């Protein structure tokens, strides 16, 4: 499809629980990106993929965050043992090639209580 | 490392007034610059990219490498332009991450 689809739209987890977020990029787009938006404004880059390979993971917290993009499956971002400060909107974006802007999904709002 | 600065968190103008949303960047190489817009309750959308040099919804932005700026301009603001605007930079290689500015909320009053 022509939209980046993110599920779920909202996710509530108790501290210490696991959270898993999904992203289906636009068909034909080779690059997938995850961003975290805290405090409504600041976007923090987490990780990017080129097809199923990690391209850049410099923004990923090493301990509790992991992500995958497997063939024929939505990409996923998983947070083990969530903390209050993980509460944010997580955006996924995809891109076909150089020179194009990314297409963003509508985001998943994660609330850790 | 690259950095994008949007000095104004909020810009409030009256309908029909000119608008300029400022964006300054720092990057040692040749960047690609973008403007994204987020209307209320909607997803982030690409508004402009500097390489295409186009005008979308009356907005234009010119990359000034001397001043390292990419300000977004519109001669006559409309109420429907009210939104969050983000300036973003990508190093000149495919697949690299976007670095966003902190965003500017534009409010256009009737």
């Amino acid at each position: 499809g022509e939209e980046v689809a993110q599920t779920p739209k909202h996710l509530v987890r108790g501290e210490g629980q696991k959270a898993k977020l999904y992203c289906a990029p636009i068909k034909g787009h080779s690059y997938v990106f995850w961003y975290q938006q805290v405090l409504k404004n600041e976007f923090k880059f987490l990780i990017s993929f080129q097809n199923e390979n990690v391209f850049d993971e410099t923004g990923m917290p090493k301990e509790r965050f992991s992500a995958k993009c497997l063939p024929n499956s939505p990409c996923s971002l998983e947070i083990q043992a969530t903390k209050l400060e993980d509460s944010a909107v997580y955006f996924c974006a995809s891109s076909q090639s150089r020179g194009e802007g990314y297409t963003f999904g509508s985001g998943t709002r994660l609330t850790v209580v | 490392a690259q950095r994008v600065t949007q000095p104004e968190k909020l810009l409030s103008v009256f309908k029909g007034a000119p608008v300029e949303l400022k964006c300054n960047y720092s990057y040692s190489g040749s960047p690609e610059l973008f403007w994204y817009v987020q209307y209320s309750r909607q997803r982030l959308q690409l508004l402009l990219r500097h390489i295409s040099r186009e005008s979308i919804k009356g907005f234009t932005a010119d990359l000034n490498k001397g001043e390292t700026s990419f300000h977004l301009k519109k001669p006559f603001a409309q109420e429907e332009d009210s939104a969050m605007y983000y300036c973003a930079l990508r190093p000149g290689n495919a697949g690299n991450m976007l670095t966003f500015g902190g965003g500017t909320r534009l409010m256009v009053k009737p």
Side-chain angles (χ1 to χ4, degrees):
Chain A
E2 292 302 308
E3 278 193 353
V4 175
Q6 287 190 250
T7 55
K9 288 195 183 304
H10 302 280
L11 189 59
V12 180
R13 287 289 178 266
E15 254 194 305
Q17 290 185 316
K18 183 174 74 174
K20 195 163 186 178
L21 292 62
Y22 296 93
C23 168
I26 291 174
K27 193 174 181 181
H29 281 196
S30 304
Y31 297 94
V32 172
F33 304 80
W34 285 98
Y35 288 85
Q36 179 193 57
Q37 188 185 33
V38 179
L39 300 175
K40 207 173 182 184
N41 286 358
E42 299 287 335
F43 283 89
K44 181 191 173 197
F45 168 76
L46 294 175
I47 190 169
S48 63
F49 289 84
Q50 182 177 10
N51 298 311
E52 62 266 27
N53 304 308
V54 174
F55 190 87
D56 183 347
E57 58 181 346
T58 52
M60 279 289 266
K62 295 296 183 188
E63 292 181 347
R64 299 179 294 110
F65 285 61
S66 62
K68 293 179 186 176
C69 276
L70 300 176
N72 303 314
S73 297
C75 297
S76 64
L77 176 69
E78 189 168 316
I79 309 172
Q80 302 286 344
T82 53
K83 297 183 178 181
L84 294 176
E85 61 259 33
D86 297 331
S87 295
V89 181
Y90 291 83
F91 287 98
C92 173
S94 69
S95 172
Q96 184 178 30
S97 62
R98 177 184 178 180
E100 293 187 10
Y102 304 160
T103 302
F104 279 83
S106 56
T108 293
R109 180 176 296 279
L110 172 66
T111 302
V112 181
V113 298
Chain B
Q2 56 267 26
R3 186 179 177 89
V4 178
T5 304
Q6 292 179 249
E8 303 137 330
K9 286 197 179 301
L10 173 66
L11 185 62
S12 183
V13 301
F14 285 103
K15 178 181 171 181
V19 168
E20 183 179 52
L21 289 85
K22 290 186 168 51
C23 172
N24 291 91
Y25 67 90
S26 62
Y27 178 61
S28 56
S30 209
E32 295 179 75
L33 274 296
F34 303 85
W35 275 99
Y36 282 84
V37 59
Q38 189 174 31
Y39 300 103
S40 179
R41 300 181 192 280
Q42 294 187 28
R43 64 185 67 197
L44 207 58
Q45 302 172 33
L46 177 64
L47 182 63
L48 282 178
R49 43 185 175 159
H50 90 270
I51 60 169
S52 58
R53 303 183 65 83
E54 56 199 345
S55 172
I56 304 292
K57 299 184 179 181
F59 285 97
T60 58
D62 290 317
L63 178 61
N64 186 324
K65 291 187 178 180
E67 294 183 359
T68 59
S69 68
F70 189 57
H71 303 327
L72 183 68
K73 299 177 184 179
K74 185 169 182 176
F76 307 104
Q78 304 297 317
E79 288 181 69
E80 55 266 29
D81 296 330
S82 297
M84 280 294 298
Y85 291 80
Y86 294 93
C87 183
L89 177 153
R90 182 170 68 188
N93 292 310
N96 283 5
M97 66 174 182
L98 283 174
T99 297
F100 285 89
T104 297
R105 178 170 295 283
L106 174 64
M107 291 179 56
V108 182
K109 297 176 287 189

